[in-house]
Amino acid sequence: MSEGDIRLEGLVKNYGDVVAVDGIDLHIPSGEFFTMLGPSGCGKTTTLRMIAGFERPTEGEILLDGVDMSSTPPHKRRVNTVFQNYALFTHMTVAENVGFGLRYQKVGKDEAMQRVRAVMEMVQISELGERRTSELSGGQQQRVALARALVLEAPVLLLDEPLGALDARLRLDLQVELKRIQEQLEVTFIYVTHDQDEALTMSDRVAVMKGGKIEQCDVPQKLYEEPNTAFVANFLGSANLLSVEAKAAGAGCDVILGNFTLKSDSKPEQAGVGTAMIRPEYVKLEPHGSEGENRVPGMVEEVVYMGFHQDVRVRLANGDLVRADVPNDGDSPEYEQGNAVAVHLRAANLRVLDDYPDEAADDTADDADTAAV
Ligand code: ATP
């Protein structure tokens, strides 16, 4: 087996009455870039801290390469952590910071220097070696923190919102670099963030967490295109959510929306009253009177100019409001309030979710007035 294979089995962490982690089962194979994504308080950091050994599970097991780590102290686990606050030593130079952990490994001086040099080159801070860390920008400090963890060559690297303190532009640059470094080293990365873009761009797989549990875990494209619940649909991008009734029909289902019967290629877990979801970029606006499957007449209620696209809010004939994301590409028509349109909700993109309706309503209660509703 290659190194860096992590298994979480029935993992639970309680703090008094607070259930921070509520039964997580997960297999993260060696060399994967795995992300735990979720809102504040969903248990991401607690899970990471248990893997690192800073917290003891209330129940469950953590296996590294098949071996239970519960009685292994943090410094003996072959796992390193990079935190959001870089926690660098200000009285040392960059190179001394990077090499610090090697003092506690049985590594000769020449090998240590060579490893420090190589890792500084990898994270592109070679020219900063003699600087004090107090003289660095936030992005440079995070590179030093990353180098300091990577130099120890553990098969698993835990990253807790490492880009959280950086501005948007720098975050984007470092996301690309982190992915490159992870691929180059083939180390298992377990990354914690509440930033959906970060999760989607870097990860091989993402676990969306809610209330101490994993709501859905999959590759980014599948999570985005085929969310199972309204919570996942809303957390990753925007979603139109519609109250519907679903009836099994062939390989997909019929979706009853007011007086309209639409088709969906999805097959919900259970038929009956439920929630259908379609992403705004898949809502197609066609000229008033267009006919055919899955067309619903509507009236433009509001147009929000967003630069390279327009957010067009359309009141459907059944009373729901849906958002259509229309590109400003020179070809698409410009819409105004009061325009009559036909709204095409394509069967391939209209997805009936597995939520019970009350759960979907809870998850979308804050979501103002889009159809969703
Ligand atoms: P954030 O993104 O805000 O860091 P998170 O998803 O990482 O959130 P955790 O920090 O894992 O969430 O916290 C999960 C829950 O456990 C929260 O309700 C939190 O208040 C609680 N919690 C975490 N650490 C402790 C602690 N040491 N004592 C008591 N409760 C804690």
Side-chain angles (χ1 to χ4, degrees):
M1 188 199 289
S2 354
E3 289 186 312
D5 176 286
I6 293 269
R7 273 182 198 276
L8 309 182
E9 294 182 353
L11 201 62
V12 172
K13 178 69 188 179
N14 300 334
Y15 294 105
D17 292 342
V18 178
V19 182
V21 175
D22 193 9
I24 289 190
D25 293 291
L26 200 57
H27 176 216
I28 304 171
S30 170
E32 185 166 67
F33 197 130
F34 187 87
T35 297
M36 290 189 273
L37 172 71
S40 183
C42 71
K44 315 177 289 287
T45 297
T46 305
T47 306
L48 205 72
R49 289 176 60 79
M50 286 193 280
I51 300 172
F54 303 136
E55 299 284 353
R56 206 173 251 279
T58 308
E59 284 172 34
E61 289 195 339
I62 298 168
L63 305 159
L64 171 60
D65 297 328
V67 179
D68 180 19
M69 290 198 286
S70 50
S71 50
T72 313
H75 64 279
K76 294 221 167 124
R77 296 188 183 195
R78 297 180 46 253
V79 162
N80 287 117
T81 310
V82 180
F83 300 98
Q84 178 176 348
N85 61 345
Y86 328 112
L88 300 175
F89 300 116
T90 48
H91 62 286
M92 292 184 191
T93 66
V94 165
E96 285 165 350
N97 264 280
V98 173
F100 184 78
L102 290 176
R103 294 183 192 181
Y104 301 95
Q105 292 190 348
K106 291 196 182 79
V107 176
K109 209 171 165 196
D110 287 349
E111 187 193 336
M113 275 173 59
Q114 197 263 326
R115 271 165 65 174
V116 167
R117 248 200 314 271
V119 83
M120 284 177 52
E121 199 169 308
M122 178 176 289
V123 303
Q124 300 179 355
I125 50 170
S126 297
E127 71 288 3
L128 303 177
E130 296 313 311
R131 288 247 201 118
R132 303 241 162 228
T133 54
S134 54
E135 298 162 5
L136 302 178
S137 70
Q140 289 167 333
Q141 288 186 54
Q142 194 50 285
R143 285 171 195 269
V144 178
L146 183 63
R148 190 178 53 175
L150 289 173
V151 80
L152 301 174
E153 297 180 355
V156 179
L157 191 67
L158 309 177
L159 301 106
D160 191 359
E161 304 243 9
L163 309 183
L166 307 177
D167 67 49
R169 176 73 236 173
L170 207 51
R171 284 174 83 114
L172 277 179
D173 292 347
L174 277 168
Q175 281 168 24
V176 174
E177 272 193 60
L178 272 176
K179 182 71 188 147
R180 170 185 62 80
I181 290 166
Q182 189 268 340
E183 281 173 355
Q184 194 174 334
L185 295 176
E186 297 179 348
V187 166
T188 309
F189 272 29
I190 307 182
Y191 194 94
V192 158
T193 183
H194 60 264
D195 181 328
Q196 47 151 315
D197 293 332
E198 207 160 279
L200 291 178
T201 46
M202 289 191 292
S203 320
D204 295 318
R205 270 191 319 149
V206 178
V208 179
M209 292 181 63
K210 178 190 171 194
K213 290 191 161 89
I214 294 179
E215 181 94 351
Q216 192 173 349
C217 177
D218 219 317
V219 298
Q221 190 182 358
K222 194 100 189 278
L223 272 184
Y224 185 82
E225 301 285 345
E226 298 176 27
N228 289 337
T229 64
F231 179 80
V232 175
N234 271 333
F235 206 80
L236 292 172
S238 24
N240 291 298
L241 298 173
L242 303 160
S243 289
V244 298
E245 192 185 337
K247 290 186 179 163
C253 63
D254 284 342
V255 176
I256 320 290
L257 177 72
N259 294 328
F260 301 91
T261 299
L262 314 175
K263 298 269 177 211
S264 165
D265 290 351
S266 67
K267 192 120 193 132
E269 262 184 5
Q270 51 182 19
V273 174
T275 304
M277 187 282 309
I278 185 163
R279 299 277 182 205
E281 65 270 29
Y282 292 136
V283 174
K284 297 297 171 197
L285 302 185
E286 296 177 358
H288 175 59
S290 299
E291 288 186 359
E293 189 182 88
N294 283 34
R295 265 79 173 180
V296 180
M299 175 88 78
V300 174
E301 205 161 278
E302 194 182 356
V303 180
V304 182
Y305 175 76
M306 316 269 294
F308 64 90
H309 62 125
Q310 322 166 49
D311 176 12
V312 183
R313 296 167 184 213
V314 181
R315 183 71 61 183
L316 300 178
N318 74 314
D320 278 331
L321 190 70
V322 290
R323 292 171 53 188
D325 195 348
V326 178
N328 276 334
D329 55 7
D331 291 333
S332 304
E334 283 182 20
Y335 293 96
E336 306 179 354
Q337 193 181 26
N339 288 159
V341 290
V343 179
H344 186 186
L345 307 167
R346 283 191 300 220
N349 309 122
L350 183 66
R351 183 172 172 76
V352 178
L353 304 176
D354 291 341
D355 292 284
Y356 292 99
D358 56 334
E359 286 174 338
D362 283 353
D363 287 338
T364 53
D366 302 335
D367 208 24
D369 119 273
T370 43
V373 218

